[in-house]
Structures are given as structure tokens and as C-alpha cells.
Amino acid sequence: MPSVGVKIYSVFFKLLLRHRLQSLAAADAAADTDSDAFGVSCRADEATAPANPAFSAADGVASKDLHIDPNSALSVRIFLPTPPPQHAHLLLHRRASDPPAGAAGAPYRGYLPHAVSSPRAAASARRRLPIVVQFHGGGFVTGSNCSASNDAFCRRVAKFCDAIVVAVGYRLAPESRYPAAFDDGVRVLRWIAKQANLAMMSKVGGGVDTFGASSVEPWIAAHGDPARCVLLGVSSGANIADFVTQKTVEDSKLFNPVKIVAQVLMYPFFIGSVPTHSEIRLANSYFYDKSTCLLAWRLLLSEKEFSLDHPAANPLAPGRGGPPLKCMPPTLTIIAEHDWMRDRAIAYSEELRKVNVDAPVLDYKDTVHEFATLDVFLKTPQAQACAEDIAIWMKKYISLRGHEFSY
């Protein structure tokens, strides 16, 4: 069972969360019926962590923020792990006064080879990293890609998986209701594809004009491998990740050369009209009880389309639509023992396994919803173990050396 401290903290957390959601609902009811198309991606009361383009002394990960859509609040925070020692000498524009390449706190200057004998040598020296696209939690109405807890979690993933992490700052409800957040996820995948295509055009010579060259994001274009892309969703972010995966499966040409090789669903925010055993037994569970989460769903979905069997809420609802489950990529599901959403996540994973999709479930004992991503839990052994387990499984599909990292 969770400790007494966790139980006490949970009580205050739930009271505060319910108050925030009720305030948002009241403000939305009093606001103009015309929604704000630009939207918001972070609440004013959300504690944020600043981006830092230097490699951190703590974890050797650099980060920066980008606003990628001029018509909305959609943004991303990109995390880049420090190069290994064998690539350290490849830093561009390095001066004698600079810190050693790859040293903690050293400013990022890129680590592409600047003097190689042949294109083949350049290709081998160039360090290509898999891309993990991460969607934060918060019930679609709170949370941020640059919150202190999400920043720390993404740094951990970038370090353990040795991958570029793109944390998506999608638009929040009720300012931007469904499908805004889901469309933002699709837009980010297409943006990554654009970066890869622009980089490819620049290689073949003269394919990118001045405007196109200026829009290239160097961390993605120079170091990302779009053919090894993983979607990682936390709570409500898992719903978005699964939706985006379905869209890429339905029309992969729109996202070329991005290829989703796997997805990770961490305690997905699934629900349905027919309650499961865990939804009944754990309805008043820690931190995120069912009644409070229903408020979040009402803020996301308009009154006309509100349904607990909505495609965004229930992946196994009748008439779900989308691609057949057998076309979905390998899917790792993380669940917590004291989480009322666990049964539906297990059921979705079981349906994937029935059609021969690699879809394991990792069930962590004595844990609660968001046990590996909430700020109060980030330093616990369970949170550390969860991140390591994700990295081990993920490397089956992102490693260039095959399945040697499998369990």
C-alpha cells in the first residue's frame, strides 16, 4: 500500500485538482461561445522548467523550445543527449576557449563531422538518434511539456534511451476542445517529417531555397532518424499517442519518411460507458479519482458529442473505426496497481496480442496513477525502474543492432 505521506498528499492533490477543473468549467461557461483558435498549452499556475541549450551537468541532456505553428499555441521542447566520447571530437566551430566537447554544461554547437574523406565516412561519423515523441498527461486540461516534472521525465528518457525526445505542448481544453490536442499530435509528426525531407533535399544539392533552409530545425534534421520513431504517451497523452499512431497507420505517405516502430502507453486515460471491475473497486483511488476525471472529459468533449465511448476515450468501443488492430505497431503498456483505469488498459493490450502485436503489460505494485511522471514520485525506485524498463523494451525496436536488448 502507498505510504501515509502519499495518502495525505493525495487528498490535498485531489481537492486542488477538482477546484481547478471546476474553475475552468465555470470560466468556460461564462466565456464567449466562440472558442479561441490559438488556445493555451500551459496554465499560469503550472511550475515550469526553463529550456537550456547547454548539456546539463546532471544528466548531459540539452533542451530548447520551439513554437512550430504560427496559427496556434502548439509548441515542442526538444531534448538532445550528449554525444558519446567517440563523437566528441566532431563538434563544429569549437574554439580553444570552449569547454571540452560533450562536457557537462558545454554549449551545444552540433557534433556533425566537419572534415571527412568521403560521403561514406560522413554517413558513418554522423550520429543518428531515434526520435521519441512524448505527450504529457493532465487530463487534457492541465499539464505542460515544459513543466518541471515532465522536463525531468523527458531528460530521463533521452538519457536512458539515447534518443532525441520531442515533448509536445498541445493545446489544452476547454479553450481548445476535441480534436485540437489530437490534431496537434498529428501536426507534430508531420513537422518532423518536414524536417527530415528538408534535410534530405539540402543533401542532394540546391533543393532548399533560402526560406526553406531557414526553417530547418538542426537538432532534428541533422541528428534525428525518422525511420526509428516511438510515440510515448502519459495518461491522457497516451490517448493522443494512440490516436496519432492510428493516423500514421491509415495514411503513412503523409508522414513519410517518419516510421513509428513502437509506442508506449503509460497508464492510459481510457474509460467507457460500461464500468470495469477496477473502475468500480478503485473509483476513489489516489490522486485521480473517477469523478474528477469525468469533469476533465466534460471539459474536453462538447456537450453534444460527450460520450464515455467516444473514440478518444474508449479504444475498444463498438464502431471504433480506424485501422485494424493487427496493423498497430508494438505497444508497451504501463499500469499501476492502485489505478482505476488499469483494467481497460489491460483489455486493449490483450486485444492487440490476439492479433499478434507485441503488446506486453508492465504492472507495478504499490503504485498509483502517474507514479513515474508526477513530480512527487520522480525520485522513487519505482519511477526509476519504470524508465529503465521502458528503455530496455524500446531498444528492441530502436537499436540498429537488432533485438539483443530484449528481455
Side-chain angles (χ1 to χ4, degrees):
M1 293 293 290
S3 66
V4 174
V6 169
K7 293 178 180 178
I8 295 175
Y9 186 86
S10 172
V11 172
F12 288 100
F13 182 92
K14 288 197 288 187
L15 289 174
L16 178 61
L17 178 60
R18 179 174 286 271
H19 174 72
R20 292 179 70 186
L21 298 188
Q22 289 173 340
S23 299
L24 288 171
D28 181 61
D32 190 347
T33 54
D34 293 333
S35 61
D36 181 4
F38 192 80
V40 299
S41 58
C42 182
R43 302 292 179 197
D45 55 351
E46 187 78 43
T48 60
N52 186 356
F55 291 117
S56 168
D59 51 31
V61 177
S63 63
K64 66 177 176 180
D65 293 332
L66 293 175
H67 179 208
I68 66 173
D69 183 6
N71 298 314
S72 74
L74 174 62
S75 64
V76 295
R77 173 166 288 188
I78 306 176
F79 299 84
L80 181 70
T82 185
Q86 62 267 31
H87 292 273
H89 68 285
L90 299 175
L91 279 170
L92 283 175
H93 311 303
R94 181 168 175 259
R95 300 184 299 266
S97 59
D98 288 338
Y108 173 80
R109 300 187 186 281
Y111 39 86
L112 287 177
H114 61 283
V116 290
S117 57
S118 67
R120 178 174 296 182
S124 62
R126 187 185 301 270
R127 186 174 186 239
R128 289 291 181 178
L129 302 176
I131 301 173
V132 178
V133 182
Q134 190 261 0
F135 301 92
H136 66 82
F140 304 107
V141 294
T142 64
S144 168
N145 66 326
C146 56
S147 67
S149 58
N150 198 70
D151 182 90
F153 173 72
C154 288
R155 289 179 174 278
R156 183 174 287 175
V157 171
K159 179 181 178 181
F160 287 175
C161 298
D162 194 27
I164 295 174
V165 175
V166 179
V168 181
Y170 55 84
R171 289 170 291 172
L172 302 177
E175 292 86 351
S176 303
R177 294 184 184 272
Y178 177 87
F182 295 78
D183 288 344
D184 285 349
V186 173
R187 192 170 290 112
V188 168
L189 258 289
R190 297 188 69 173
W191 175 79
I192 293 174
K194 175 184 176 181
Q195 302 307 313
N197 286 322
L198 286 174
M200 192 178 304
M201 291 170 65
S202 65
K203 289 179 185 177
V204 299
V208 181
D209 58 19
T210 303
F211 177 79
S214 66
S215 66
V216 174
E217 201 320 282
W219 289 14
I220 298 293
H223 308 307
D225 184 354
R228 292 183 292 153
C229 186
V230 177
L231 300 192
L232 189 158
V234 177
S235 189
S236 56
N239 297 43
I240 300 175
D242 190 65
F243 174 88
V244 175
T245 298
Q246 292 179 39
K247 290 300 181 183
T248 58
V249 169
E250 284 181 320
D251 197 347
S252 59
K253 291 183 179 179
L254 288 177
F255 302 90
N256 189 54
V258 171
K259 180 181 179 182
I260 298 179
V261 297
Q263 66 172 347
V264 180
L265 308 181
M266 300 183 68
Y267 20 83
F269 202 59
F270 296 154
I271 196 171
S273 58
V274 179
T276 64
H277 178 67
S278 66
E279 290 175 2
I280 297 172
R281 181 173 59 89
L282 300 169
N284 194 35
S285 56
Y286 305 96
F287 292 91
Y288 297 90
D289 59 76
K290 187 176 179 179
S291 61
T292 302
C293 291
L294 287 174
L295 290 177
W297 278 110
R298 291 189 178 278
L299 289 171
L300 175 71
L301 302 174
S302 65
E303 184 176 351
K304 180 183 296 186
E305 65 179 345
F306 177 79
S307 169
L308 297 183
D309 285 328
H310 190 281
N314 188 353
L316 298 177
R320 159 185 172 270
L325 290 180
K326 66 180 180 180
C327 298
M328 296 294 282
T331 302
L332 173 66
T333 302
I334 305 294
I335 59 174
E337 181 181 10
H338 302 290
D339 182 7
W340 63 266
M341 306 177 209
R342 55 181 281 118
D343 281 0
R344 209 170 296 274
I346 294 172
Y348 184 47
S349 182
E350 288 176 347
E351 291 301 315
L352 289 171
R353 288 197 298 275
K354 287 179 182 179
V355 291
N356 297 321
V357 175
D358 180 21
V361 176
L362 297 184
D363 188 358
Y364 293 82
K365 301 300 181 184
D366 294 327
T367 54
V368 300
H369 192 78
E370 287 225 45
F371 73 91
T373 45
L374 206 60
D375 53 357
V376 70
F377 297 122
L378 278 174
K379 295 183 179 180
T380 62
Q382 293 96 327
Q384 180 82 8
C386 180
E388 292 175 353
D389 291 342
I390 289 173
I392 291 172
W393 181 83
M394 194 184 297
K395 285 181 178 179
K396 291 169 57 178
Y397 300 100
I398 63 175
S399 172
L400 294 175
R401 291 177 289 179
H403 291 248
E404 65 186 85
F405 292 100
S406 61
Y407 287 103

Coordinates of all heavy atoms in Angstrom, one line a residue, residues 6-84:
V6 N 2.0 9.6 1.2 CA 1.4 9.7 -0.2 C -0.1 9.8 0.0 O -0.7 10.6 -0.8 CB 1.8 8.4 -0.9 CG1 0.9 8.3 -2.2 CG2 3.2 8.4 -1.3
K7 N -0.7 9.1 0.9 CA -2.2 9.2 1.1 C -2.6 10.6 1.5 O -3.6 11.1 0.9 CB -2.6 8.2 2.2 CG -2.4 6.7 1.8 CD -2.8 5.8 2.9 CE -2.7 4.3 2.5 NZ -3.0 3.4 3.6
I8 N -1.9 11.2 2.4 CA -2.2 12.6 2.8 C -2.0 13.6 1.6 O -2.9 14.4 1.4 CB -1.3 13.0 4.0 CG1 -1.7 12.1 5.2 CG2 -1.6 14.5 4.3 CD1 -0.8 12.4 6.4
Y9 N -0.9 13.4 0.9 CA -0.7 14.3 -0.2 C -1.7 14.1 -1.3 O -2.2 15.1 -1.9 CB 0.7 14.0 -0.8 CG 1.2 14.9 -1.9 CD1 1.8 16.1 -1.6 CD2 0.9 14.6 -3.2 CE1 2.2 17.0 -2.6 CE2 1.3 15.5 -4.3 CZ 2.0 16.7 -3.9 OH 2.3 17.5 -4.9
S10 N -2.2 12.9 -1.5 CA -3.2 12.6 -2.5 C -4.5 13.3 -2.2 O -5.2 13.8 -3.1 CB -3.5 11.1 -2.5 OG -4.6 10.8 -3.3
V11 N -4.9 13.4 -0.9 CA -6.1 14.1 -0.5 C -6.1 15.5 -0.9 O -7.0 16.0 -1.5 CB -6.4 13.9 1.0 CG1 -7.5 14.8 1.4 CG2 -6.6 12.5 1.4
F12 N -5.0 16.2 -0.6 CA -4.9 17.6 -1.0 C -4.8 17.8 -2.5 O -5.3 18.8 -3.0 CB -3.7 18.2 -0.3 CG -3.9 18.4 1.2 CD1 -3.3 17.5 2.1 CD2 -4.6 19.5 1.7 CE1 -3.5 17.7 3.5 CE2 -4.8 19.7 3.1 CZ -4.2 18.8 4.0
F13 N -4.1 16.9 -3.1 CA -3.9 16.9 -4.6 C -5.3 16.8 -5.3 O -5.6 17.6 -6.2 CB -3.0 15.8 -5.1 CG -2.8 15.8 -6.6 CD1 -1.7 16.4 -7.1 CD2 -3.6 15.1 -7.4 CE1 -1.4 16.4 -8.5 CE2 -3.4 15.1 -8.8 CZ -2.3 15.8 -9.3
K14 N -6.1 15.9 -4.8 CA -7.5 15.8 -5.4 C -8.3 17.0 -5.2 O -9.1 17.4 -6.1 CB -8.1 14.5 -4.9 CG -7.5 13.2 -5.4 CD -8.4 12.0 -5.2 CE -8.5 11.6 -3.8 NZ -9.2 10.3 -3.6
L15 N -8.3 17.5 -4.0 CA -9.1 18.7 -3.7 C -8.7 19.9 -4.6 O -9.5 20.6 -5.1 CB -8.9 19.1 -2.2 CG -9.6 18.2 -1.2 CD1 -9.2 18.6 0.2 CD2 -11.1 18.2 -1.4
L16 N -7.3 20.1 -4.7 CA -6.8 21.2 -5.6 C -7.2 20.9 -7.0 O -7.6 21.9 -7.8 CB -5.3 21.3 -5.4 CG -4.6 22.4 -6.3 CD1 -5.2 23.7 -5.9 CD2 -3.1 22.3 -6.1
L17 N -7.1 19.7 -7.5 CA -7.4 19.4 -8.9 C -8.8 19.6 -9.2 O -9.2 20.2 -10.2 CB -7.0 17.9 -9.2 CG -7.3 17.4 -10.6 CD1 -6.5 18.3 -11.7 CD2 -6.9 16.0 -10.8
R18 N -9.7 19.1 -8.3 CA -11.1 19.3 -8.5 C -11.5 20.8 -8.6 O -12.3 21.2 -9.4 CB -11.9 18.6 -7.4 CG -13.5 18.8 -7.5 CD -14.2 17.9 -6.5 NE -14.1 16.5 -6.9 CZ -15.0 15.9 -7.7 NH1 -16.0 16.6 -8.2 NH2 -14.9 14.6 -7.9
H19 N -10.9 21.6 -7.7 CA -11.1 23.0 -7.7 C -10.7 23.7 -9.0 O -11.4 24.5 -9.5 CB -10.4 23.7 -6.5 CG -10.5 25.2 -6.4 ND1 -11.6 25.8 -6.1 CD2 -9.5 26.1 -6.7 CE1 -11.4 27.1 -6.2 NE2 -10.2 27.3 -6.6
R20 N -9.5 23.2 -9.5 CA -9.0 23.8 -10.8 C -10.0 23.5 -11.9 O -10.3 24.3 -12.7 CB -7.7 23.3 -11.1 CG -6.6 23.7 -10.1 CD -5.2 23.1 -10.5 NE -4.7 23.7 -11.8 CZ -3.6 23.2 -12.3 NH1 -2.9 22.2 -11.8 NH2 -3.2 23.8 -13.5
L21 N -10.5 22.2 -12.0 CA -11.4 21.8 -13.0 C -12.7 22.5 -12.9 O -13.3 23.0 -14.0 CB -11.5 20.3 -13.0 CG -10.3 19.5 -13.3 CD1 -10.7 18.0 -13.4 CD2 -9.5 19.9 -14.5
Q22 N -13.2 22.7 -11.7 CA -14.5 23.4 -11.6 C -14.3 24.9 -11.9 O -15.3 25.4 -12.5 CB -15.0 23.3 -10.1 CG -15.4 21.8 -9.8 CD -15.8 21.7 -8.3 OE1 -15.3 22.5 -7.5 NE2 -16.5 20.7 -8.0
S23 N -13.2 25.5 -11.6 CA -13.0 26.8 -12.0 C -12.9 27.0 -13.5 O -13.4 27.9 -14.1 CB -11.7 27.4 -11.4 OG -11.7 27.3 -10.0
L24 N -12.2 26.0 -14.2 CA -12.2 26.1 -15.6 C -13.5 25.9 -16.3 O -13.9 26.6 -17.3 CB -11.2 25.0 -16.1 CG -9.7 25.2 -15.9 CD1 -9.0 23.9 -16.3 CD2 -9.2 26.3 -16.7
A25 N -14.3 25.0 -15.7 CA -15.7 24.8 -16.2 C -16.5 26.1 -16.1 O -17.3 26.4 -17.0 CB -16.4 23.6 -15.5
A26 N -16.4 26.7 -14.9 CA -17.2 28.0 -14.7 C -16.7 29.1 -15.6 O -17.5 29.8 -16.2 CB -17.0 28.4 -13.2
A27 N -15.4 29.2 -15.8 CA -14.9 30.2 -16.7 C -15.3 29.9 -18.1 O -15.6 30.9 -18.9 CB -13.4 30.3 -16.6
D28 N -15.4 28.7 -18.5 CA -15.8 28.3 -19.9 C -17.2 28.6 -20.1 O -17.6 29.1 -21.2 CB -15.5 26.8 -20.1 CG -15.9 26.4 -21.5 OD1 -15.3 26.9 -22.5 OD2 -16.7 25.5 -21.6
A29 N -18.1 28.4 -19.1 CA -19.5 28.6 -19.2 C -19.8 30.1 -19.3 O -20.7 30.5 -20.0 CB -20.2 28.1 -18.0
A30 N -18.9 30.9 -18.7 CA -19.1 32.4 -18.7 C -18.5 33.0 -19.9 O -18.8 34.2 -20.2 CB -18.6 33.0 -17.4
A31 N -17.6 32.3 -20.6 CA -16.9 32.9 -21.7 C -17.8 32.9 -23.0 O -18.8 32.3 -23.0 CB -15.6 32.1 -22.0
D32 N -17.3 33.6 -24.0 CA -17.9 33.7 -25.3 C -18.0 32.3 -25.9 O -17.1 31.5 -25.7 CB -17.2 34.6 -26.2 CG -17.9 35.0 -27.5 OD1 -18.9 34.3 -27.7 OD2 -17.5 35.9 -28.2
T33 N -19.1 32.0 -26.5 CA -19.2 30.6 -27.1 C -18.2 30.4 -28.2 O -17.9 29.2 -28.5 CB -20.6 30.5 -27.7 OG1 -20.9 31.5 -28.6 CG2 -21.6 30.5 -26.6
D34 N -17.6 31.5 -28.8 CA -16.6 31.3 -29.9 C -15.3 30.9 -29.2 O -14.8 31.6 -28.4 CB -16.4 32.6 -30.7 CG -17.6 32.9 -31.5 OD1 -18.4 31.9 -31.9 OD2 -17.9 34.1 -31.8
S35 N -14.8 29.7 -29.6 CA -13.5 29.3 -28.9 C -12.3 30.0 -29.5 O -12.4 30.6 -30.6 CB -13.4 27.8 -29.2 OG -13.3 27.5 -30.6
D36 N -11.3 30.0 -28.7 CA -10.1 30.7 -29.1 C -9.2 29.7 -29.9 O -8.7 28.7 -29.4 CB -9.3 31.1 -27.8 CG -8.0 31.8 -28.1 OD1 -7.7 32.1 -29.3 OD2 -7.2 32.2 -27.2
A37 N -9.1 30.0 -31.2 CA -8.4 29.0 -32.0 C -6.9 28.9 -31.7 O -6.3 27.9 -31.9 CB -8.5 29.4 -33.5
F38 N -6.3 30.0 -31.1 CA -4.9 29.9 -30.8 C -4.7 29.0 -29.6 O -3.8 28.2 -29.6 CB -4.4 31.3 -30.5 CG -2.9 31.4 -30.4 CD1 -2.1 31.5 -31.5 CD2 -2.3 31.4 -29.1 CE1 -0.7 31.5 -31.4 CE2 -0.9 31.4 -29.0 CZ -0.1 31.5 -30.2
G39 N -5.5 29.2 -28.6 CA -5.5 28.3 -27.4 C -4.4 28.5 -26.5 O -3.6 29.5 -26.6
V40 N -4.3 27.6 -25.5 CA -3.2 27.7 -24.5 C -2.6 26.3 -24.4 O -3.3 25.3 -24.6 CB -3.7 28.2 -23.1 CG1 -4.3 29.6 -23.2 CG2 -4.7 27.2 -22.5
S41 N -1.3 26.2 -24.1 CA -0.7 25.0 -23.9 C -0.1 24.8 -22.5 O 0.6 23.8 -22.2 CB 0.4 24.7 -24.9 OG 1.4 25.8 -24.9
C42 N -0.3 25.9 -21.6 CA 0.3 25.8 -20.3 C -0.5 26.8 -19.4 O -0.8 27.9 -19.8 CB 1.8 26.2 -20.3 SG 2.5 26.2 -18.7
R43 N -0.9 26.3 -18.2 CA -1.6 27.2 -17.3 C -0.7 28.1 -16.5 O 0.5 27.8 -16.3 CB -2.4 26.3 -16.3 CG -3.4 25.3 -16.9 CD -4.5 26.0 -17.5 NE -5.5 25.1 -18.2 CZ -6.4 25.5 -19.1 NH1 -6.5 26.7 -19.4 NH2 -7.2 24.5 -19.6
A44 N -1.2 29.2 -16.1 CA -0.4 30.2 -15.4 C 0.2 29.7 -14.1 O 1.2 30.1 -13.7 CB -1.2 31.5 -15.2
D45 N -0.6 28.8 -13.5 CA -0.1 28.3 -12.2 C 0.7 27.0 -12.3 O 1.0 26.3 -11.3 CB -1.4 28.0 -11.3 CG -2.3 27.0 -11.9 OD1 -2.2 26.7 -13.1 OD2 -3.3 26.6 -11.3
E46 N 1.1 26.7 -13.5 CA 2.0 25.5 -13.7 C 3.4 25.8 -13.5 O 4.0 26.8 -14.1 CB 1.8 24.9 -15.1 CG 2.5 23.6 -15.4 CD 1.7 22.4 -14.8 OE1 0.5 22.4 -14.9 OE2 2.4 21.6 -14.2
A47 N 4.1 25.1 -12.6 CA 5.6 25.3 -12.4 C 6.3 24.8 -13.6 O 6.2 23.6 -14.0 CB 6.0 24.6 -11.1
T48 N 7.1 25.7 -14.2 CA 7.8 25.3 -15.5 C 9.3 25.2 -15.2 O 9.8 25.9 -14.3 CB 7.5 26.2 -16.6 OG1 7.9 27.6 -16.2 CG2 6.0 26.2 -16.9
A49 N 10.0 24.5 -16.0 CA 11.5 24.4 -16.0 C 12.0 25.0 -17.3 O 11.5 24.8 -18.4 CB 11.9 22.9 -15.9
P50 N 13.0 25.9 -17.2 CA 13.5 26.6 -18.4 C 14.3 25.6 -19.3 O 14.9 24.7 -18.8 CB 14.4 27.7 -17.8 CG 14.8 27.1 -16.5 CD 13.7 26.3 -15.9
A51 N 14.2 25.9 -20.6 CA 15.0 25.1 -21.5 C 16.4 25.6 -21.4 O 16.7 26.8 -21.1 CB 14.4 25.3 -22.9
N52 N 17.4 24.7 -21.7 CA 18.8 25.1 -21.6 C 19.5 24.4 -22.8 O 19.7 23.2 -22.8 CB 19.4 24.6 -20.3 CG 20.8 25.1 -20.1 OD1 21.4 25.7 -21.0 ND2 21.4 24.8 -18.9
P53 N 20.0 25.2 -23.8 CA 20.7 24.6 -24.9 C 22.1 24.0 -24.6 O 22.8 23.5 -25.5 CB 20.8 25.7 -25.9 CG 20.8 26.9 -25.0 CD 19.9 26.6 -23.9
A54 N 22.5 24.1 -23.3 CA 23.8 23.5 -22.9 C 23.5 22.1 -22.3 O 22.5 21.8 -21.8 CB 24.5 24.4 -21.9
F55 N 24.5 21.2 -22.5 CA 24.4 19.9 -21.9 C 24.4 20.0 -20.4 O 25.3 20.5 -19.8 CB 25.5 19.0 -22.4 CG 25.4 18.7 -23.8 CD1 26.4 19.1 -24.7 CD2 24.3 18.0 -24.3 CE1 26.3 18.8 -26.1 CE2 24.2 17.7 -25.7 CZ 25.2 18.1 -26.5
S56 N 23.4 19.5 -19.7 CA 23.2 19.6 -18.3 C 24.3 18.9 -17.5 O 24.7 17.8 -17.9 CB 21.9 19.1 -17.8 OG 21.8 19.0 -16.4
A57 N 24.8 19.5 -16.4 CA 25.8 18.8 -15.6 C 25.2 17.5 -14.9 O 25.9 16.6 -14.6 CB 26.3 19.8 -14.5
A58 N 23.9 17.5 -14.7 CA 23.3 16.4 -14.0 C 23.0 15.2 -14.9 O 23.3 14.1 -14.5 CB 21.9 16.9 -13.4
D59 N 22.6 15.4 -16.1 CA 22.3 14.3 -17.0 C 22.8 14.3 -18.4 O 22.7 13.4 -19.2 CB 20.7 14.1 -17.1 CG 20.1 15.4 -17.5 OD1 20.7 16.2 -18.2 OD2 18.9 15.7 -17.1
G60 N 23.6 15.4 -18.7 CA 24.2 15.5 -20.0 C 23.2 15.6 -21.2 O 23.4 15.2 -22.3
V61 N 22.0 16.3 -20.9 CA 21.0 16.5 -21.9 C 20.7 18.0 -22.1 O 20.6 18.7 -21.2 CB 19.7 15.8 -21.5 CG1 18.6 16.0 -22.5 CG2 19.9 14.3 -21.3
A62 N 20.7 18.4 -23.4 CA 20.4 19.8 -23.7 C 18.9 19.9 -24.2 O 18.4 18.9 -24.6 CB 21.3 20.2 -24.9
S63 N 18.3 21.0 -24.0 CA 17.0 21.2 -24.4 C 16.7 22.6 -25.0 O 17.4 23.5 -24.7 CB 16.0 20.9 -23.2 OG 16.3 21.9 -22.2
K64 N 15.7 22.7 -25.8 CA 15.3 24.0 -26.3 C 13.8 23.9 -26.7 O 13.3 22.9 -27.0 CB 16.1 24.4 -27.5 CG 16.0 23.6 -28.7 CD 16.9 24.2 -29.9 CE 16.9 23.3 -31.1 NZ 17.7 23.9 -32.2
D65 N 13.2 25.1 -26.7 CA 11.7 25.2 -27.1 C 11.6 25.8 -28.5 O 12.3 26.7 -28.9 CB 11.0 26.1 -26.0 CG 11.0 25.5 -24.7 OD1 11.0 24.3 -24.6 OD2 10.9 26.2 -23.7
L66 N 10.5 25.3 -29.2 CA 10.2 25.8 -30.5 C 8.7 26.0 -30.6 O 7.9 25.1 -30.1 CB 10.7 24.9 -31.6 CG 12.2 24.7 -31.8 CD1 12.4 23.6 -32.8 CD2 12.8 26.0 -32.2
H67 N 8.2 27.1 -31.1 CA 6.8 27.3 -31.4 C 6.7 27.0 -32.9 O 7.1 27.8 -33.8 CB 6.4 28.8 -31.1 CG 5.0 29.1 -31.4 ND1 4.6 30.3 -31.8 CD2 3.9 28.3 -31.5 CE1 3.3 30.3 -32.0 NE2 2.9 29.1 -31.8
I68 N 6.0 25.9 -33.3 CA 6.1 25.4 -34.6 C 4.8 25.7 -35.4 O 4.8 25.3 -36.6 CB 6.3 23.9 -34.6 CG1 5.2 23.1 -34.0 CG2 7.6 23.5 -33.9 CD1 5.3 21.6 -34.1
D69 N 3.8 26.3 -34.8 CA 2.6 26.6 -35.6 C 2.2 28.1 -35.3 O 1.8 28.4 -34.2 CB 1.5 25.7 -35.1 CG 0.2 25.9 -35.9 OD1 0.3 26.7 -36.9 OD2 -0.8 25.3 -35.6
P70 N 2.3 29.0 -36.3 CA 2.0 30.4 -36.1 C 0.5 30.6 -35.8 O 0.2 31.7 -35.3 CB 2.5 31.1 -37.3 CG 2.5 30.0 -38.4 CD 2.8 28.7 -37.7
N71 N -0.3 29.6 -36.1 CA -1.8 29.8 -36.0 C -2.3 29.3 -34.7 O -3.5 29.4 -34.5 CB -2.5 29.1 -37.2 CG -2.1 29.8 -38.5 OD1 -2.0 31.0 -38.7 ND2 -1.8 28.9 -39.5
S72 N -1.5 28.7 -33.9 CA -2.0 28.2 -32.6 C -0.8 28.2 -31.6 O 0.3 28.6 -31.9 CB -2.5 26.7 -32.7 OG -1.4 25.8 -32.9
A73 N -1.1 27.7 -30.4 CA -0.1 27.7 -29.3 C 0.7 26.5 -29.3 O 1.6 26.3 -28.4 CB -0.9 27.8 -27.9
L74 N 0.6 25.6 -30.3 CA 1.4 24.4 -30.4 C 2.9 24.7 -30.4 O 3.4 25.5 -31.1 CB 1.0 23.7 -31.7 CG 1.8 22.4 -32.0 CD1 1.6 21.3 -30.9 CD2 1.4 21.8 -33.4
S75 N 3.5 24.0 -29.5 CA 5.0 24.1 -29.3 C 5.6 22.8 -29.0 O 4.9 21.8 -28.7 CB 5.3 25.1 -28.2 OG 4.9 24.6 -27.0
V76 N 6.9 22.7 -29.1 CA 7.6 21.5 -28.7 C 8.9 21.9 -27.9 O 9.4 22.9 -28.0 CB 8.1 20.6 -29.9 CG1 6.9 20.1 -30.7 CG2 9.0 21.4 -30.8
R77 N 9.2 21.0 -27.0 CA 10.5 21.1 -26.3 C 11.4 19.9 -26.7 O 10.9 18.7 -26.6 CB 10.4 21.1 -24.8 CG 11.7 21.0 -24.0 CD 11.6 21.4 -22.6 NE 11.4 22.8 -22.4 CZ 11.4 23.5 -21.2 NH1 11.7 22.8 -20.1 NH2 11.2 24.8 -21.2
I78 N 12.5 20.1 -27.3 CA 13.4 19.1 -27.8 C 14.5 18.8 -26.8 O 15.2 19.7 -26.4 CB 14.0 19.5 -29.2 CG1 12.8 19.8 -30.2 CG2 14.8 18.3 -29.8 CD1 13.3 20.3 -31.5
F79 N 14.8 17.5 -26.6 CA 15.8 17.1 -25.7 C 16.8 16.3 -26.5 O 16.5 15.4 -27.2 CB 15.3 16.2 -24.5 CG 14.3 16.9 -23.7 CD1 12.9 17.0 -24.0 CD2 14.6 17.5 -22.5 CE1 12.0 17.6 -23.2 CE2 13.7 18.2 -21.7 CZ 12.4 18.2 -22.0
L80 N 18.1 16.7 -26.4 CA 19.2 16.1 -27.1 C 20.3 15.6 -26.1 O 20.8 16.4 -25.4 CB 19.8 17.1 -28.1 CG 21.0 16.6 -29.0 CD1 20.4 15.6 -30.0 CD2 21.6 17.7 -29.7
P81 N 20.5 14.3 -26.1 CA 21.6 13.7 -25.2 C 22.9 14.1 -25.7 O 23.2 14.3 -26.9 CB 21.3 12.2 -25.2 CG 20.7 12.0 -26.6 CD 19.9 13.2 -26.9
T82 N 23.9 14.2 -24.8 CA 25.3 14.5 -25.1 C 25.9 13.4 -26.0 O 25.5 12.2 -25.8 CB 26.1 14.7 -23.8 OG1 27.4 15.1 -24.2 CG2 26.2 13.4 -23.0
P83 N 26.8 13.8 -26.9 CA 27.4 12.8 -27.7 C 28.3 11.9 -26.9 O 28.9 12.3 -25.9 CB 28.2 13.6 -28.7 CG 28.5 14.9 -28.1 CD 27.3 15.1 -27.2
P84 N 28.5 10.6 -27.3 CA 29.4 9.7 -26.6 C 30.9 10.2 -26.9 O 31.1 10.9 -27.8 CB 29.1 8.4 -27.2 CG 28.6 8.7 -28.5 CD 27.8 9.9 -28.4

